[in-house]
Amino acid sequence: MLFRSFQRQSSTSSSLGKRQRSGNQAKKKINNRSTVPTTVQETLEDALEFYTGLCRQELRTRFAGRTDSGVHARGQVVVVSLPPVDELPNKDIFTTENTENEVDPSAERLWKIRKSINSRLPNDISIEDVSLCDKECFDPRLDAKRKQYSYSLRYRELVTVEPGNYDGDEKRIHPICLKGGPNLLRTALDSNQVWICPWALDDSKFKRYCELLSGFHDYSAFVHKEARKARNNEMTVNRLTFNRIKFRDDEVPIWEVRFLVESKGFGRSQVRNMIGFIVDVCRGHIKDEVSTNWVWKNTEQLAKQINAAPACGLCLEHVIY
C-alpha cells in the first residue's frame, strides 16, 4: 500500500465527532473517509478506534517524527492515551483469562493489545512492542535525545577502462549505467526499499565526505529551501557512517551501501540531501575540492547544486530516549 507520509494530512477525520460507544458500532467499517489521504497515522487510528471504541480525539496520537511519502520506519515511536481497561467501551477485548501467578496479567494484556491492533493493520504496518509510559507527560518527539536514520543505496563501481576502448578520458562511467542502468540492477525482492543509483560512483570518497558532514555545522544548504531562513539550522550530526557489501561480482562490481546518520534532530529533507550530495560528488556532478571547509563556505550556491536522494532508500531506524 502507498501511504502519503506518516502524519494525517486532513482534518476531515477529526470532524466525525464521538461515535456511539457500543461494541457493534465500534466494529463497523469506517466508510466516510474516502476523501482523507491514506497515511500511516490514519490507518493506525482506524485500528485503534475499532478495538477501543474511542474516537481519535480521545486517543491523542503522538509520534516521534514525521516521515515523508515513500520513507520507511523500523523504529517509529507512537504514544496514545487510553483509560484503564475497565473504562474502555470494548473492555472485553483486552481482558485476560489468566488467574495464575505464572504469567503476569499486565504483560499478557499488553501482548493481547498488540495482537489485536496488528490484526486490523495491513501487512506493511506492524506494531513491534506495546508498553506503558513512565509518565503522563511523555512526548515521543520532544523527549527524544537522538534519532537514527539509515539510507540504502545500490550502485555500480566506477572503473578504469583500458585506453583506446573509448574516446575521451581514461576513467569512464561504465556504459551499462548510461543504458538502462537501474533496470539492470534491480531485483524482484527489492520492495522499493533501496535507491538503485543510475550512475557509477567513485566510492573511495565515501569516507571523506561522511567525516566532513559530521560534527557541528550550519546545515542550511542541506535542508529544504523553505526551512533555510525560517529556522536556525546549526546542529550537531553525531554520527555519519557507512557499511558496504558486494551485491554482485560482475566485470564491473555492483555494491550496496548503507549509510547511518544520527542527530538529536534533522531539518526537512536534510538526510536525503546529505546522501544526494555525497552521490553527486562521487559521480562527478559536484566538483570535489581539496579544502576540507569548502562545503560550508557558500550555502546558497551549494544548495542550488544538491539533488535530494529519493525517499525510497530512507528509513527511521531508532529513537533514543
Side-chain angles (χ1 to χ4, degrees):
M1 183 182 295
L2 178 62
F3 297 100
R4 298 281 301 276
S5 77
F6 183 93
Q7 187 178 28
R8 185 173 62 244
Q9 295 187 11
S10 172
S11 60
T12 305
S13 58
S14 64
S15 64
L16 296 175
K18 296 182 179 181
R19 301 195 310 274
Q20 186 177 348
R21 291 185 176 180
S22 68
N24 292 332
Q25 287 289 334
K27 293 183 179 181
K28 283 186 177 180
K29 275 193 172 184
I30 301 170
N31 296 319
N32 54 349
R33 293 186 184 152
S34 57
T35 59
V36 179
T38 304
T39 64
V40 177
Q41 181 182 0
E42 188 77 23
T43 306
L44 178 60
E45 287 177 340
D46 281 350
L48 287 166
E49 283 186 328
F50 184 92
Y51 274 104
T52 63
L54 302 175
C55 69
R56 56 196 61 202
Q57 290 88 346
E58 295 169 297
L59 292 170
R60 295 180 57 242
T61 307
R62 291 148 286 160
F63 43 89
R66 293 178 293 181
T67 51
D68 295 334
S69 179
V71 176
H72 310 283
R74 292 189 184 91
Q76 178 70 277
V77 179
V78 179
V79 175
V80 295
S81 299
L82 297 179
V85 172
D86 292 339
E87 299 178 16
L88 283 172
N90 296 343
K91 62 182 179 181
D92 293 341
I93 296 176
F94 298 106
T95 56
T96 174
E97 298 178 357
N98 175 65
T99 56
E100 302 179 1
N101 294 327
E102 295 180 3
V103 179
D104 182 2
S106 61
E108 185 178 349
R109 185 175 291 118
L110 292 175
W111 172 85
K112 195 167 186 178
I113 291 174
R114 177 189 169 199
K115 181 190 73 169
S116 300
I117 303 304
N118 271 339
S119 69
R120 290 292 297 179
L121 293 172
N123 290 337
D124 40 10
I125 301 178
S126 175
I127 297 175
E128 298 297 321
D129 188 31
V130 174
S131 60
L132 298 176
C133 292
D134 293 334
K135 54 182 181 178
E136 294 182 1
C137 59
F138 172 69
D139 188 303
R141 181 177 66 88
L142 298 179
D143 290 346
K145 293 182 178 179
R146 293 186 304 280
K147 296 177 184 177
Q148 291 181 351
Y149 281 88
S150 70
Y151 195 96
S152 299
L153 171 71
R154 185 179 303 154
Y155 66 96
R156 194 177 290 277
E157 185 179 335
L158 189 64
V159 298
T160 302
V161 299
E162 295 180 5
N165 286 359
Y166 304 100
D167 296 330
D169 296 334
E170 190 175 276
K171 201 168 189 180
R172 293 290 299 260
I173 294 176
H174 193 272
I176 290 180
C177 291
L178 298 178
K179 300 177 180 178
N183 292 325
L184 296 175
L185 302 187
R186 72 176 180 86
T187 72
L189 302 179
D190 288 335
S191 300
N192 202 31
Q193 295 184 14
V194 59
W195 177 27
I196 302 175
C197 183
W199 308 288
L201 303 181
D202 182 0
D203 49 23
S204 64
K205 299 178 181 179
F206 283 170
K207 184 175 185 295
R208 181 192 177 202
Y209 279 92
C210 283
E211 293 174 352
L212 193 151
L213 294 181
S214 302
F216 179 79
H217 302 285
D218 181 356
Y219 287 87
S220 295
F222 298 93
V223 300
H224 192 277
K225 59 182 180 181
E226 295 179 1
R228 285 174 200 151
K229 296 181 180 179
R231 52 167 286 176
N232 181 5
N233 294 299
E234 291 186 346
M235 64 186 75
T236 299
V237 172
N238 304 89
R239 178 183 182 188
L240 177 52
T241 58
F242 71 94
N243 181 46
R244 68 173 192 149
I245 60 172
K246 187 171 287 186
F247 180 76
R248 202 161 68 215
D249 195 11
D250 290 358
E251 178 185 358
V252 179
I254 300 171
W255 295 86
E256 275 196 358
V257 59
R258 181 173 178 266
F259 294 93
L260 187 66
V261 56
E262 179 182 304
S263 178
K264 178 173 176 56
F266 296 94
R268 181 179 172 186
S269 302
Q270 181 180 341
V271 178
R272 290 171 57 193
N273 280 327
M274 291 169 67
I275 301 302
F277 168 75
I278 293 175
V279 169
D280 283 343
V281 171
C282 292
R283 72 183 177 98
H285 175 71
I286 296 179
K287 183 180 178 182
D288 188 14
E289 297 188 18
V290 177
S291 170
T292 57
N293 295 322
W294 71 272
V295 173
W296 316 108
K297 287 183 178 179
N298 194 329
T299 295
E300 293 297 327
Q301 181 179 350
L302 180 61
K304 294 177 182 178
Q305 301 179 67
I306 294 175
N307 298 293
C312 59
L314 184 62
C315 182
L316 173 60
E317 291 287 347
H318 188 49
V319 182
I320 302 170
Y321 293 99

